[in-house]
Amino acid sequence: MTVLQKSGLEENIRDILEILGEDPNREGLIDTPKRVAKMYKEVFEGIGVEPATALTTTFDSEGYDGMIVVKDIDYYTFCEHHLIPFFGKAHIGYIPNERIVGLSKFARLVELTSKRPQVQERMTEQIARSIHEVLQPTGVMVSVEGQHLCMCARGVKKPGTSTVTTVKKGSFLNDESLIREFERSIASK
C-alpha cells in the first residue's frame, strides 16, 4: 500500500467517523484513522498473493503413504460481505503421493488464504486446491470451522453458532474409511 493510498484510507476512515456522528478530532479518535489504516494493511496483506506460494518447498515422501493431519490451525479473517471478522480453526489431512511439505507451510497457507476479504466456503476450497495442485497427493481433505461476527453480533445475533465447511479431493471423495480416520484425527485431543 503506497503512502498516498494509506493517506486516502485514513481520510476515508475519518469521513466514516464523521458520517457516524463522531468527532474525529476528539482525543480518543485523533489517531484512529492511522491505526485502522495500519490494521487493514496487516489483515489484508494476502490480497494479490497466490496461496499456493506457501507450498513452494516440497520434499520426497520417502515412501510414506499414510495420512498426515495438521489440525487446529487458528485463523482470523474478514467477511467480504460486511468487513467484520470471522475466525476459527482449519484442519488439513492429506495422503502423499511422492511429495510432502514442511508442516509449518500449512499454517502459512491458511494465513495467506485468510489475509483477504473472504467467505469460508472459498477459503476451504482455496486451501484444498492449493495442496492438491502443488503436492498432487493421493487425496486431501480440509475442514474449516468458523464463528462469524456478522451472524453473532449483528443481524440475527446468534452468538455461539459456528459453521463447518469441508472439501474432499482424490481418494477422500469416495473412501468412507479415510473420511472417518480424518474425522477421528481432528476430534482427538
Side-chain angles (χ1 to χ4, degrees):
M1 185 178 294
T2 68
V3 175
L4 182 60
Q5 289 171 322
K6 187 175 176 185
S7 174
L9 185 53
E10 289 176 22
E11 289 173 19
N12 285 315
I13 298 301
R14 184 177 176 78
D15 290 345
I16 289 170
L17 289 170
E18 287 177 347
I19 290 167
L20 292 173
E22 271 291 355
D23 175 7
N25 293 314
R26 76 174 170 82
E27 184 179 9
L29 292 176
I30 290 174
D31 291 329
T32 296
K34 186 183 303 180
R35 286 191 297 266
V36 172
K38 181 179 178 184
M39 182 262 310
Y40 278 164
K41 182 179 181 188
E42 177 184 335
V43 301
F44 295 133
E45 68 187 0
I47 294 174
V49 179
E50 178 58 40
T53 60
L55 305 174
T56 55
T57 304
T58 65
F59 307 96
D60 188 312
S61 68
E62 298 182 20
Y64 182 83
D65 63 358
M67 188 181 305
I68 298 169
V69 176
V70 180
K71 66 179 190 171
D72 296 331
I73 303 169
D74 290 322
Y75 73 87
Y76 300 88
T77 190
F78 280 74
C79 163
E80 70 179 33
H81 302 135
H82 302 99
L83 287 183
I84 58 176
F86 73 91
F87 56 92
K89 295 185 181 296
H91 314 287
I92 298 168
Y94 78 107
I95 299 171
N97 187 1
E98 295 178 10
R99 306 300 292 170
I100 59 173
V101 68
L103 300 177
S104 68
K105 301 304 181 192
F106 291 117
R108 182 69 179 135
L109 174 61
V110 171
E111 184 86 358
L112 279 175
T113 60
S114 68
K115 294 294 188 179
R116 61 192 73 207
Q118 194 57 280
V119 295
Q120 186 172 325
E121 298 85 347
R122 181 187 319 112
M123 184 173 149
T124 309
E125 175 61 33
Q126 286 175 333
I127 294 167
R129 184 178 348 103
S130 295
I131 296 166
H132 189 69
E133 290 174 358
V134 173
L135 296 178
Q136 299 179 352
T138 302
V140 63
M141 187 165 172
V142 175
S143 181
V144 175
E145 305 169 21
Q147 291 191 21
H148 297 249
L149 290 184
C150 56
M151 186 169 165
C152 299
R154 59 154 305 277
V156 295
K157 295 181 184 151
K158 298 297 178 199
T161 60
S162 62
T163 301
V164 177
T165 51
T166 303
V167 171
K168 298 175 264 187
K169 295 189 180 295
S171 56
F172 282 94
L173 285 171
N174 298 311
D175 190 330
E176 289 296 321
S177 67
L178 285 177
I179 295 168
R180 284 192 302 275
E181 182 181 347
F182 175 77
E183 290 171 343
R184 277 192 308 273
S185 293
I186 67 173
S188 67
K189 294 293 174 195

Short mmCIF file of all heavy atoms in Angstrom, two decimals, residues 33-81:
data_model
loop_
_atom_site.label_atom_id
_atom_site.label_comp_id
_atom_site.label_asym_id
_atom_site.label_seq_id
_atom_site.Cartn_x
_atom_site.Cartn_y
_atom_site.Cartn_z
N PRO A 33 -7.91 6.89 12.56
CA PRO A 33 -7.76 6.63 11.11
C PRO A 33 -6.39 6.02 10.76
O PRO A 33 -6.31 5.10 9.94
CB PRO A 33 -7.94 8.00 10.48
CG PRO A 33 -8.84 8.73 11.43
CD PRO A 33 -8.37 8.27 12.80
N LYS A 34 -5.34 6.49 11.41
CA LYS A 34 -3.99 5.96 11.16
C LYS A 34 -3.90 4.51 11.64
O LYS A 34 -3.35 3.64 10.95
CB LYS A 34 -2.96 6.82 11.89
CG LYS A 34 -1.52 6.44 11.58
CD LYS A 34 -0.52 7.27 12.38
CE LYS A 34 -0.76 8.75 12.09
NZ LYS A 34 0.15 9.64 12.80
N ARG A 35 -4.45 4.24 12.83
CA ARG A 35 -4.40 2.87 13.37
C ARG A 35 -5.22 1.91 12.51
O ARG A 35 -4.80 0.79 12.25
CB ARG A 35 -4.92 2.86 14.81
CG ARG A 35 -3.96 3.46 15.81
CD ARG A 35 -4.40 3.17 17.25
NE ARG A 35 -5.68 3.77 17.57
CZ ARG A 35 -5.84 4.96 18.15
NH1 ARG A 35 -4.77 5.69 18.46
NH2 ARG A 35 -7.04 5.42 18.43
N VAL A 36 -6.39 2.35 12.05
CA VAL A 36 -7.24 1.49 11.22
C VAL A 36 -6.55 1.21 9.88
O VAL A 36 -6.55 0.07 9.40
CB VAL A 36 -8.64 2.11 11.02
CG1 VAL A 36 -9.44 1.32 10.00
CG2 VAL A 36 -9.39 2.15 12.36
N ALA A 37 -5.95 2.22 9.28
CA ALA A 37 -5.23 2.02 8.01
C ALA A 37 -4.10 1.01 8.20
O ALA A 37 -3.90 0.12 7.36
CB ALA A 37 -4.70 3.34 7.48
N LYS A 38 -3.36 1.13 9.30
CA LYS A 38 -2.27 0.19 9.58
C LYS A 38 -2.82 -1.22 9.78
O LYS A 38 -2.26 -2.20 9.28
CB LYS A 38 -1.50 0.65 10.82
CG LYS A 38 -0.34 -0.22 11.18
CD LYS A 38 0.39 0.31 12.40
CE LYS A 38 1.54 -0.60 12.79
NZ LYS A 38 2.19 -0.15 14.02
N MET A 39 -3.94 -1.34 10.50
CA MET A 39 -4.55 -2.63 10.75
C MET A 39 -5.03 -3.25 9.44
O MET A 39 -4.79 -4.43 9.19
CB MET A 39 -5.72 -2.47 11.72
CG MET A 39 -6.42 -3.77 12.10
SD MET A 39 -7.95 -4.19 11.19
CE MET A 39 -8.94 -2.74 11.27
N TYR A 40 -5.66 -2.47 8.57
CA TYR A 40 -6.13 -3.00 7.29
C TYR A 40 -4.96 -3.49 6.44
O TYR A 40 -5.07 -4.52 5.78
CB TYR A 40 -6.93 -1.96 6.52
CG TYR A 40 -8.37 -1.82 6.95
CD1 TYR A 40 -9.12 -0.71 6.59
CD2 TYR A 40 -9.01 -2.80 7.70
CE1 TYR A 40 -10.44 -0.58 6.97
CE2 TYR A 40 -10.32 -2.68 8.08
CZ TYR A 40 -11.04 -1.58 7.72
OH TYR A 40 -12.35 -1.46 8.09
N LYS A 41 -3.87 -2.76 6.47
CA LYS A 41 -2.69 -3.20 5.70
C LYS A 41 -2.24 -4.57 6.19
O LYS A 41 -1.90 -5.45 5.38
CB LYS A 41 -1.56 -2.17 5.84
CG LYS A 41 -0.34 -2.54 5.04
CD LYS A 41 0.75 -1.50 5.17
CE LYS A 41 1.94 -1.92 4.33
NZ LYS A 41 3.09 -1.09 4.54
N GLU A 42 -2.25 -4.78 7.48
CA GLU A 42 -1.83 -6.06 8.05
C GLU A 42 -2.82 -7.18 7.76
O GLU A 42 -2.44 -8.25 7.30
CB GLU A 42 -1.65 -5.91 9.56
CG GLU A 42 -1.28 -7.20 10.27
CD GLU A 42 -1.21 -7.03 11.78
OE1 GLU A 42 -1.00 -5.90 12.26
OE2 GLU A 42 -1.38 -8.05 12.48
N VAL A 43 -4.10 -6.96 8.04
CA VAL A 43 -5.08 -8.05 7.93
C VAL A 43 -5.43 -8.40 6.49
O VAL A 43 -5.99 -9.46 6.23
CB VAL A 43 -6.36 -7.80 8.76
CG1 VAL A 43 -6.02 -7.64 10.24
CG2 VAL A 43 -7.16 -6.62 8.24
N PHE A 44 -5.10 -7.51 5.54
CA PHE A 44 -5.39 -7.80 4.13
C PHE A 44 -4.12 -7.98 3.30
O PHE A 44 -4.14 -7.87 2.09
CB PHE A 44 -6.26 -6.68 3.53
CG PHE A 44 -7.63 -6.60 4.15
CD1 PHE A 44 -8.15 -5.38 4.55
CD2 PHE A 44 -8.40 -7.73 4.33
CE1 PHE A 44 -9.42 -5.29 5.11
CE2 PHE A 44 -9.67 -7.66 4.89
CZ PHE A 44 -10.18 -6.44 5.29
N GLU A 45 -3.00 -8.32 3.95
CA GLU A 45 -1.73 -8.45 3.23
C GLU A 45 -1.70 -9.62 2.25
O GLU A 45 -0.81 -9.70 1.41
CB GLU A 45 -0.55 -8.54 4.20
CG GLU A 45 -0.52 -9.81 5.03
CD GLU A 45 0.57 -9.78 6.10
OE1 GLU A 45 1.30 -8.78 6.21
OE2 GLU A 45 0.66 -10.77 6.83
N GLY A 46 -2.68 -10.51 2.30
CA GLY A 46 -2.72 -11.63 1.37
C GLY A 46 -3.39 -11.31 0.04
O GLY A 46 -3.35 -12.13 -0.88
N ILE A 47 -3.97 -10.13 -0.08
CA ILE A 47 -4.62 -9.75 -1.34
C ILE A 47 -3.56 -9.73 -2.45
O ILE A 47 -2.51 -9.12 -2.31
CB ILE A 47 -5.31 -8.38 -1.23
CG1 ILE A 47 -6.49 -8.45 -0.25
CG2 ILE A 47 -5.79 -7.89 -2.60
CD1 ILE A 47 -7.15 -7.11 0.04
N GLY A 48 -3.85 -10.43 -3.52
CA GLY A 48 -2.94 -10.47 -4.66
C GLY A 48 -1.84 -11.51 -4.55
O GLY A 48 -1.03 -11.65 -5.47
N VAL A 49 -1.78 -12.24 -3.44
CA VAL A 49 -0.77 -13.28 -3.27
C VAL A 49 -1.44 -14.63 -3.48
O VAL A 49 -2.44 -14.94 -2.83
CB VAL A 49 -0.13 -13.22 -1.86
CG1 VAL A 49 0.90 -14.32 -1.69
CG2 VAL A 49 0.47 -11.85 -1.59
N GLU A 50 -0.89 -15.43 -4.37
CA GLU A 50 -1.44 -16.77 -4.63
C GLU A 50 -1.16 -17.66 -3.42
O GLU A 50 0.00 -17.84 -3.03
CB GLU A 50 -0.80 -17.34 -5.90
CG GLU A 50 -1.25 -18.73 -6.24
CD GLU A 50 -2.75 -18.87 -6.44
OE1 GLU A 50 -3.37 -17.97 -7.05
OE2 GLU A 50 -3.30 -19.87 -5.95
N PRO A 51 -2.20 -18.23 -2.79
CA PRO A 51 -1.98 -19.05 -1.59
C PRO A 51 -0.99 -20.20 -1.79
O PRO A 51 -0.22 -20.52 -0.88
CB PRO A 51 -3.38 -19.59 -1.27
CG PRO A 51 -4.30 -18.56 -1.83
CD PRO A 51 -3.63 -18.06 -3.08
N ALA A 52 -0.97 -20.79 -2.97
CA ALA A 52 -0.08 -21.94 -3.22
C ALA A 52 1.40 -21.58 -3.05
O ALA A 52 2.23 -22.48 -2.88
CB ALA A 52 -0.33 -22.51 -4.61
N THR A 53 1.74 -20.30 -3.06
CA THR A 53 3.14 -19.92 -2.86
C THR A 53 3.66 -20.34 -1.50
O THR A 53 4.87 -20.42 -1.30
CB THR A 53 3.36 -18.40 -3.05
OG1 THR A 53 2.57 -17.69 -2.09
CG2 THR A 53 2.99 -17.95 -4.46
N ALA A 54 2.76 -20.61 -0.56
CA ALA A 54 3.18 -21.09 0.76
C ALA A 54 3.76 -22.50 0.70
O ALA A 54 4.43 -22.93 1.62
CB ALA A 54 2.01 -21.06 1.73
N LEU A 55 3.50 -23.20 -0.40
CA LEU A 55 3.89 -24.61 -0.51
C LEU A 55 5.02 -24.84 -1.51
O LEU A 55 5.15 -25.92 -2.07
CB LEU A 55 2.68 -25.45 -0.93
CG LEU A 55 1.43 -25.34 -0.05
CD1 LEU A 55 0.27 -26.09 -0.67
CD2 LEU A 55 1.70 -25.84 1.36
N THR A 56 5.84 -23.84 -1.73
CA THR A 56 6.83 -23.94 -2.81
C THR A 56 7.97 -24.91 -2.53
O THR A 56 8.56 -25.44 -3.47
CB THR A 56 7.42 -22.54 -3.14
OG1 THR A 56 7.94 -21.98 -1.94
CG2 THR A 56 6.36 -21.64 -3.73
N THR A 57 8.30 -25.18 -1.29
CA THR A 57 9.39 -26.10 -0.99
C THR A 57 8.81 -27.44 -0.58
O THR A 57 8.20 -27.57 0.47
CB THR A 57 10.27 -25.55 0.15
OG1 THR A 57 10.74 -24.25 -0.21
CG2 THR A 57 11.45 -26.45 0.41
N THR A 58 9.00 -28.45 -1.44
CA THR A 58 8.49 -29.79 -1.15
C THR A 58 9.67 -30.75 -1.03
O THR A 58 10.79 -30.45 -1.42
CB THR A 58 7.54 -30.27 -2.26
OG1 THR A 58 8.27 -30.41 -3.49
CG2 THR A 58 6.37 -29.31 -2.45
N PHE A 59 9.37 -31.93 -0.46
CA PHE A 59 10.40 -32.94 -0.21
C PHE A 59 9.89 -34.30 -0.65
O PHE A 59 8.68 -34.54 -0.66
CB PHE A 59 10.75 -33.01 1.29
CG PHE A 59 11.12 -31.68 1.88
CD1 PHE A 59 10.17 -30.92 2.55
CD2 PHE A 59 12.40 -31.20 1.75
CE1 PHE A 59 10.51 -29.69 3.09
CE2 PHE A 59 12.75 -29.97 2.30
CZ PHE A 59 11.81 -29.21 2.96
N ASP A 60 10.80 -35.20 -0.93
CA ASP A 60 10.46 -36.58 -1.26
C ASP A 60 9.78 -37.22 -0.04
O ASP A 60 10.25 -37.07 1.09
CB ASP A 60 11.75 -37.34 -1.61
CG ASP A 60 11.47 -38.73 -2.14
OD1 ASP A 60 10.67 -39.47 -1.53
OD2 ASP A 60 12.07 -39.08 -3.17
N SER A 61 8.70 -37.92 -0.26
CA SER A 61 7.96 -38.55 0.85
C SER A 61 8.67 -39.80 1.38
O SER A 61 8.27 -40.34 2.41
CB SER A 61 6.55 -38.92 0.40
OG SER A 61 6.61 -39.96 -0.56
N GLU A 62 9.71 -40.24 0.68
CA GLU A 62 10.49 -41.42 1.07
C GLU A 62 9.60 -42.64 1.31
O GLU A 62 9.81 -43.43 2.22
CB GLU A 62 11.35 -41.12 2.30
CG GLU A 62 12.37 -40.02 2.03
CD GLU A 62 13.26 -39.73 3.22
OE1 GLU A 62 13.40 -40.58 4.12
OE2 GLU A 62 13.82 -38.62 3.24
N GLY A 63 8.57 -42.74 0.48
CA GLY A 63 7.68 -43.89 0.53
C GLY A 63 6.55 -43.79 1.54
O GLY A 63 5.70 -44.67 1.61
N TYR A 64 6.51 -42.74 2.34
CA TYR A 64 5.42 -42.61 3.32
C TYR A 64 4.11 -42.40 2.57
O TYR A 64 3.99 -41.50 1.74
CB TYR A 64 5.67 -41.43 4.27
CG TYR A 64 4.58 -41.31 5.32
CD1 TYR A 64 4.64 -42.10 6.47
CD2 TYR A 64 3.50 -40.47 5.14
CE1 TYR A 64 3.64 -42.02 7.43
CE2 TYR A 64 2.50 -40.40 6.10
CZ TYR A 64 2.57 -41.18 7.24
OH TYR A 64 1.58 -41.11 8.18
N ASP A 65 3.12 -43.25 2.86
CA ASP A 65 1.84 -43.12 2.17
C ASP A 65 0.66 -43.14 3.14
O ASP A 65 -0.47 -43.41 2.76
CB ASP A 65 1.68 -44.19 1.09
CG ASP A 65 1.68 -45.61 1.66
OD1 ASP A 65 1.84 -45.78 2.89
OD2 ASP A 65 1.53 -46.56 0.86
N GLY A 66 0.94 -42.87 4.42
CA GLY A 66 -0.12 -42.77 5.40
C GLY A 66 -0.68 -41.35 5.43
O GLY A 66 -0.15 -40.44 4.80
N MET A 67 -1.76 -41.18 6.16
CA MET A 67 -2.38 -39.87 6.26
C MET A 67 -1.54 -38.94 7.14
O MET A 67 -1.01 -39.37 8.17
CB MET A 67 -3.79 -39.98 6.84
CG MET A 67 -4.56 -38.68 6.79
SD MET A 67 -6.23 -38.78 7.49
CE MET A 67 -6.94 -40.13 6.58
N ILE A 68 -1.44 -37.70 6.72
CA ILE A 68 -0.81 -36.65 7.51
C ILE A 68 -1.89 -35.64 7.84
O ILE A 68 -2.60 -35.17 6.94
CB ILE A 68 0.33 -35.97 6.72
CG1 ILE A 68 1.42 -36.99 6.38
CG2 ILE A 68 0.90 -34.78 7.50
CD1 ILE A 68 2.46 -36.49 5.39
N VAL A 69 -2.05 -35.34 9.12
CA VAL A 69 -3.09 -34.40 9.55
C VAL A 69 -2.45 -33.28 10.36
O VAL A 69 -1.68 -33.54 11.29
CB VAL A 69 -4.18 -35.10 10.41
CG1 VAL A 69 -5.19 -34.09 10.92
CG2 VAL A 69 -4.87 -36.20 9.61
N VAL A 70 -2.74 -32.07 9.97
CA VAL A 70 -2.36 -30.89 10.76
C VAL A 70 -3.68 -30.24 11.15
O VAL A 70 -4.47 -29.85 10.29
CB VAL A 70 -1.48 -29.91 9.95
CG1 VAL A 70 -1.11 -28.71 10.80
CG2 VAL A 70 -0.23 -30.61 9.44
N LYS A 71 -3.92 -30.15 12.45
CA LYS A 71 -5.24 -29.68 12.90
C LYS A 71 -5.10 -28.46 13.80
O LYS A 71 -4.01 -28.13 14.27
CB LYS A 71 -5.99 -30.79 13.63
CG LYS A 71 -5.36 -31.22 14.93
CD LYS A 71 -6.20 -32.31 15.58
CE LYS A 71 -5.74 -32.58 16.99
NZ LYS A 71 -6.64 -33.46 17.70
N ASP A 72 -6.23 -27.82 14.01
CA ASP A 72 -6.33 -26.68 14.92
C ASP A 72 -5.44 -25.52 14.52
O ASP A 72 -4.81 -24.87 15.37
CB ASP A 72 -6.03 -27.10 16.37
CG ASP A 72 -7.04 -28.10 16.91
OD1 ASP A 72 -8.20 -28.06 16.46
OD2 ASP A 72 -6.67 -28.91 17.78
N ILE A 73 -5.39 -25.23 13.23
CA ILE A 73 -4.64 -24.06 12.75
C ILE A 73 -5.56 -22.85 12.90
O ILE A 73 -6.58 -22.74 12.21
CB ILE A 73 -4.22 -24.23 11.28
CG1 ILE A 73 -3.38 -25.50 11.10
CG2 ILE A 73 -3.46 -22.99 10.81
CD1 ILE A 73 -3.16 -25.88 9.64
N ASP A 74 -5.24 -21.96 13.82
CA ASP A 74 -6.06 -20.77 14.04
C ASP A 74 -5.99 -19.83 12.85
O ASP A 74 -4.94 -19.69 12.21
CB ASP A 74 -5.58 -20.00 15.28
CG ASP A 74 -5.87 -20.74 16.57
OD1 ASP A 74 -6.93 -21.36 16.69
OD2 ASP A 74 -5.00 -20.69 17.47
N TYR A 75 -7.10 -19.19 12.55
CA TYR A 75 -7.13 -18.15 11.52
C TYR A 75 -8.07 -17.04 11.95
O TYR A 75 -8.98 -17.25 12.76
CB TYR A 75 -7.55 -18.72 10.14
CG TYR A 75 -9.02 -19.05 10.07
CD1 TYR A 75 -9.96 -18.09 9.71
CD2 TYR A 75 -9.48 -20.31 10.40
CE1 TYR A 75 -11.32 -18.38 9.68
CE2 TYR A 75 -10.83 -20.61 10.37
CZ TYR A 75 -11.74 -19.64 10.01
OH TYR A 75 -13.08 -19.92 9.99
N TYR A 76 -7.83 -15.86 11.42
CA TYR A 76 -8.69 -14.69 11.60
C TYR A 76 -8.80 -14.04 10.24
O TYR A 76 -7.79 -13.83 9.56
CB TYR A 76 -8.07 -13.70 12.60
CG TYR A 76 -7.86 -14.31 13.96
CD1 TYR A 76 -6.69 -14.99 14.25
CD2 TYR A 76 -8.85 -14.23 14.93
CE1 TYR A 76 -6.50 -15.59 15.49
CE2 TYR A 76 -8.67 -14.82 16.17
CZ TYR A 76 -7.49 -15.49 16.45
OH TYR A 76 -7.32 -16.08 17.67
N THR A 77 -10.01 -13.75 9.83
CA THR A 77 -10.21 -13.10 8.53
C THR A 77 -11.40 -12.17 8.61
O THR A 77 -11.98 -11.99 9.69
CB THR A 77 -10.37 -14.17 7.41
OG1 THR A 77 -10.33 -13.52 6.15
CG2 THR A 77 -11.66 -14.95 7.54
N PHE A 78 -11.74 -11.56 7.49
CA PHE A 78 -12.86 -10.62 7.43
C PHE A 78 -13.88 -11.09 6.42
O PHE A 78 -13.53 -11.38 5.27
CB PHE A 78 -12.36 -9.23 7.05
CG PHE A 78 -11.77 -8.47 8.20
CD1 PHE A 78 -10.52 -8.80 8.70
CD2 PHE A 78 -12.47 -7.45 8.81
CE1 PHE A 78 -9.97 -8.12 9.76
CE2 PHE A 78 -11.93 -6.76 9.89
CZ PHE A 78 -10.68 -7.09 10.37
N CYS A 79 -15.13 -11.15 6.83
CA CYS A 79 -16.24 -11.48 5.94
C CYS A 79 -16.29 -10.44 4.83
O CYS A 79 -16.30 -9.23 5.09
CB CYS A 79 -17.53 -11.46 6.74
SG CYS A 79 -19.03 -11.38 5.77
N GLU A 80 -16.29 -10.90 3.59
CA GLU A 80 -16.29 -9.95 2.48
C GLU A 80 -17.63 -9.25 2.30
O GLU A 80 -17.71 -8.27 1.60
CB GLU A 80 -15.88 -10.64 1.18
CG GLU A 80 -16.87 -11.61 0.61
CD GLU A 80 -16.39 -12.22 -0.70
OE1 GLU A 80 -15.18 -12.43 -0.88
OE2 GLU A 80 -17.26 -12.48 -1.54
N HIS A 81 -18.67 -9.73 2.96
CA HIS A 81 -19.99 -9.10 2.83
C HIS A 81 -20.18 -7.94 3.79
O HIS A 81 -20.94 -7.01 3.48
CB HIS A 81 -21.10 -10.13 3.04
CG HIS A 81 -21.01 -11.27 2.08
ND1 HIS A 81 -21.16 -12.58 2.47
CD2 HIS A 81 -20.76 -11.31 0.76
CE1 HIS A 81 -21.02 -13.37 1.43
NE2 HIS A 81 -20.77 -12.62 0.38
#
